[in-house]
Amino acid sequence: MAGNLELLGSVLTAAKDEGRAALVGYLPAGFPSVDGGVDAMTAMIEGGCDIVEVGLPHSDPVLDGPVIQTADDIALRGGVKIRDVIRTVGEVHARTGAPILCMTYWNPVDRYGVERFAADLAEVGGAGCILPDLPVQESEIWRKAAEQHGLATVFVVAPSSRDERLAKITAAGSGFVYAASLMGVTGTRESVGQEARELVERTRGTTTLPVCVGLGVSNATQATEVAAFADGVIVGSAFVKRLLDAEGDTEAGLAGLRELAGELAEGVRAAR
């Protein structure tokens, strides 16, 4: 079975044709439990997310802020395994028909086996991988496996990336480009800032791939701001925080996720 790179592209194109940015939500697998995570991500799509990123919990998530680290810790203490992450991708896609990506650091993929990881992710209908710490110059083995299995390879660019470096990164990637709105770790911010707009403009100068902005977006106002210049708005910590704030109340947590997704979906449409 081939992966869903084409589905990812069609959803991003459909959003563009509607004159809006796509809404991309993130949640770690295994949080609050494996089955609970599947329910949570399904609720995010029901609420208005177009695409979901399933995080592979890591014991040293160097790019993630304290909110996502807390969720990762809960998942790891619950015994989540890579096979659970892949199952989460498959079940959320099967329930919703939406494109589902895996966001992971490189080390777990390398340990699991690059070809095996790509094949297993494609087998369950995954759309691709976001690999924030994989250097482009060391990525050929993954990119070959991903291409063979119909998976996107999404790289992350940052405001510190020079134009020459941006061109190399975007030439190697597929699906979309993940533009980190600021230097630092994930988390909510008071403002997303001008750096993100400038990064999107510079990135678009090197590629025809959609450019989606993440890090710091947490509410509808910020989603509207970013949707005015980006092809997609990525929200992670705010969704995680809604579940954490529910303090184990499953129904309240799912309702909170649907509510936030709905607000953000209205936000990206308000930018038209």
Side-chain angles (χ1 to χ4, degrees):
M1 179 177 176
N4 271 310
L5 169 59
E6 288 189 6
L7 175 63
L8 175 65
S10 68
V11 167
L12 288 164
T13 298
K16 184 177 181 180
D17 289 346
E18 291 177 19
R20 66 174 179 90
L23 177 59
V24 185
Y26 166 92
L27 210 66
F31 167 71
S33 64
V34 176
D35 290 340
V38 171
D39 291 341
M41 294 173 204
T42 300
M44 289 160 61
I45 294 167
E46 290 170 348
C49 286
D50 300 290
I51 299 162
V52 162
E53 302 172 5
V54 177
L56 194 158
H58 196 275
S59 57
D60 185 25
V62 293
L63 297 179
D64 292 316
V67 172
I68 291 177
Q69 285 185 22
T70 298
D72 277 2
D73 288 343
I74 290 169
L76 290 168
R77 287 201 307 270
V80 70
K81 305 294 184 188
I82 291 179
R83 63 178 178 272
D84 298 315
V85 178
I86 292 170
R87 176 165 74 86
T88 297
V89 171
E91 291 195 10
V92 178
H93 171 64
R95 285 193 192 182
T96 65
I100 312 297
L101 299 111
C102 178
M103 186 165 188
T104 176
Y105 295 99
W106 176 244
N107 189 43
V109 177
D110 194 33
R111 288 204 318 268
Y112 189 83
V114 175
E115 169 63 27
R116 178 187 172 203
F117 191 92
D120 288 357
L121 190 61
E123 181 64 28
V124 298
C129 256
I130 303 167
L131 299 156
D133 66 337
L134 177 62
V136 170
Q137 63 271 22
E138 298 173 17
S139 67
E140 186 176 5
I141 184 174
W142 166 259
R143 288 188 287 119
K144 282 185 175 179
E147 184 176 1
Q148 178 184 348
H149 291 285
L151 298 170
T153 297
V154 179
F155 289 112
V156 179
V157 298
S160 60
S161 303
R162 297 185 177 182
D163 290 351
E164 181 182 354
R165 176 73 176 158
L166 279 178
K168 289 180 179 178
I169 293 171
T170 58
S174 57
F176 65 90
V177 182
Y178 187 125
S181 67
L182 39 77
M183 299 302 294
V185 298
T186 59
T188 60
R189 301 289 193 280
E190 291 298 316
S191 174
V192 177
Q194 181 65 20
E195 279 188 326
R197 181 186 294 270
E198 293 172 354
L199 177 59
V200 169
E201 290 173 357
R202 291 198 297 122
T203 303
R204 283 195 176 134
T206 71
T207 184
T208 58
L209 287 173
V211 183
C212 301
V213 171
L215 271 69
V217 180
S218 61
N219 57 50
T221 300
Q222 292 172 332
T224 301
E225 176 191 351
V226 173
F229 59 82
D231 299 299
V233 178
I234 302 170
V235 180
S237 294
F239 281 116
V240 174
K241 191 172 185 301
R242 284 290 176 108
L243 269 189
L244 290 171
D245 288 348
E247 297 181 339
D249 185 331
T250 301
E251 291 308 313
L254 296 178
L257 293 175
R258 289 191 190 93
E259 178 183 47
L260 178 58
E263 293 168 358
L264 293 166
E266 288 182 10
V268 299
R269 285 164 173 80
R272 285 191 290 185

